Amino acid sequence: MPLFDGLEEFANVSPALQWAIFIVGALIIVVAMVSVVISIWLAIKYIKYNIRTNSSNLCGGDAARKVLDDNGLQNIKVSVVGSMLFGNSYSHYFKKVRIRRRTNKKPSITSLAIGVEKAALAVLDKEGDPDMKARVRLTPLVYLGPFAFIPLLIIGIAIDVILFNFSGIATVISVVLGLLFYVISFVLSIMTLKTEVKAQNRACDIMEQEGMATSEEIEMMRELYKLYNIQYINDIILEFLQLLLKVLEIVAKIQNGSSASASSSSD
C-alpha cells in the first residue's frame, strides 16, 4: 500500500521509495533529538569546567605554546581567533594552532583541554603518525564532498534541459556522483575523528607526565572529549541522512514526472 497516496507529488512514486523517504525522515527526527540532548549535555559540562580554574593556571593558548615548545615545534604559531569558520584547530599547511578567544580567555579546565589537544595534533604530525599523514593529504576532500553535491546537481539539471529534454538522466547521474563525493567525505570525516581521539589521548598523557593537570582534572577532560566525539559523530550521521533524504526526494520527483509523462503519452 502506498505510504503517501494522498500527496500529489508522490502520487506516481513506487511504494518502496515512499517507505524509504518515510524511514529516512523518521531517522532524521530521532538523530536530531539525540543531537539536541547531547548539545545540552555538552554545553553544561563545557560551562561547568570553563568556570573552574585549572591547577596549572594556564589558558588554552599558553598551554598549547608550552606543549609545542617542549616538543621542538617553535615553528608552529599559536593564534587567537574569533572566527567560527576555523575555531579551535590545527593547520598543517599554515603551521598554526588556532584557539578561539573565548577558549583562550581564562585558565579553565576546558581551555587547558582544548589547547593541549590541538597542540597534540601538531605533535602527531611531527612524529609522522600514519593516520595524521593520511588526514593531511586528504583534508581537501573532507570539505569538497558536502559542497560538490549542489554544483553537480545544477550541472545535471542544465544538461537535462539542454540536451535530453528534461529526461532526468543527467540529473540522476549527477545526484549519484554528488552522493559518492559525500560518502567519501563521510569516510574521511571518520578518519579525522580517529586522529582527534589519538590527540586527545596524547594530550592526557602529556598533561599527566608534565604535571599540567591533576588526575581529577584529566578525568573531567576525558569526559569533555568523549562528548565532543559523540556530537561529531551525531552531526556526521545527521548531515548524511539529510542529504540522503534530498536524493530520495529528487528521485521521487523524477519518477513521478516520468510516470505522469508516460500516462499523458498513452492518453
Side-chain angles (χ1 to χ4, degrees):
M1 178 180 177
L3 186 62
F4 303 120
D5 195 34
L7 299 178
E8 185 177 344
E9 62 178 315
F10 295 109
N12 299 309
V13 174
S14 65
L17 184 55
Q18 290 184 18
W19 275 106
I21 293 172
F22 173 76
I23 292 171
V24 173
L27 286 173
I28 288 174
I29 294 173
V30 172
V31 175
M33 291 174 64
V34 172
S35 181
V36 171
V37 173
I38 295 172
S39 296
I40 293 173
W41 190 7
L42 177 58
I44 291 171
K45 292 295 182 181
Y46 180 98
I47 294 171
K48 178 181 178 181
Y49 298 148
N50 203 39
I51 61 176
R52 179 167 172 173
T53 302
N54 63 67
S55 57
S56 296
N57 202 36
L58 288 170
C59 66
D62 292 339
R65 183 72 271 161
K66 173 176 169 52
V67 172
L68 293 171
D69 290 344
D70 289 348
N71 286 274
L73 290 168
Q74 288 81 5
N75 63 311
I76 304 296
K77 297 179 180 179
V78 176
S79 64
V80 181
V81 297
S83 170
M84 295 298 292
L85 178 61
F86 296 110
N88 301 304
S89 61
Y90 163 67
S91 172
H92 165 87
Y93 297 104
F94 292 98
K95 303 300 179 186
K96 183 182 295 185
V97 169
R98 302 184 183 95
I99 303 293
R100 284 194 185 129
R101 288 194 182 94
R102 187 171 296 180
T103 303
N104 189 57
K105 196 171 183 180
K106 51 188 174 181
S108 66
I109 292 173
T110 298
S111 295
L112 181 64
I114 294 172
V116 177
E117 191 266 335
K118 297 311 172 188
L121 285 169
V123 175
L124 291 176
D125 193 7
K126 176 194 174 185
E127 293 174 347
D129 178 83
D131 291 321
M132 192 66 196
K133 288 171 69 174
R135 169 177 169 169
V136 168
R137 288 196 303 268
L138 300 173
T139 290
L141 288 177
V142 176
Y143 300 102
L144 175 64
F147 291 109
F149 179 74
I150 298 301
L152 283 171
L153 179 59
I154 293 172
I155 291 171
I157 294 173
I159 292 174
D160 266 334
V161 172
I162 297 170
L163 299 179
F164 297 107
N165 195 26
F166 300 96
S167 68
I169 295 174
T171 301
V172 171
I173 293 174
S174 66
V175 166
V176 171
L177 287 174
L179 184 59
L180 179 61
F181 271 110
Y182 197 93
V183 169
I184 293 172
S185 176
F186 177 84
V187 173
L188 294 178
S189 295
I190 299 300
M191 182 184 297
T192 297
L193 177 62
K194 187 177 180 181
T195 59
E196 290 290 332
V197 172
K198 277 190 174 184
Q200 291 161 6
N201 292 329
R202 186 62 175 274
C204 290
D205 291 341
I206 289 172
M207 287 185 284
E208 183 177 9
Q209 292 167 5
E210 299 189 9
M212 296 173 68
T214 65
S215 298
E216 181 187 6
E217 289 172 339
I218 290 174
E219 285 306 310
M220 294 176 186
M221 294 179 200
R222 288 189 186 279
E223 187 177 6
L224 269 179
Y225 292 148
K226 183 178 180 181
L227 287 172
Y228 272 118
N229 296 340
I230 294 173
Q231 183 67 66
Y232 183 84
I233 294 172
N234 196 80
D235 288 345
I236 292 174
I237 294 173
L238 184 59
E239 289 175 8
F240 180 77
L241 288 172
Q242 288 173 336
L243 179 65
L244 183 58
L245 181 61
K246 289 179 183 178
V247 171
L248 291 173
E249 288 175 344
I250 290 169
V251 173
K253 288 178 181 178
I254 292 172
Q255 190 179 101
N256 191 47
S258 299
S259 299
S261 298
S263 178
S264 300
S265 299
S266 63
D267 291 342

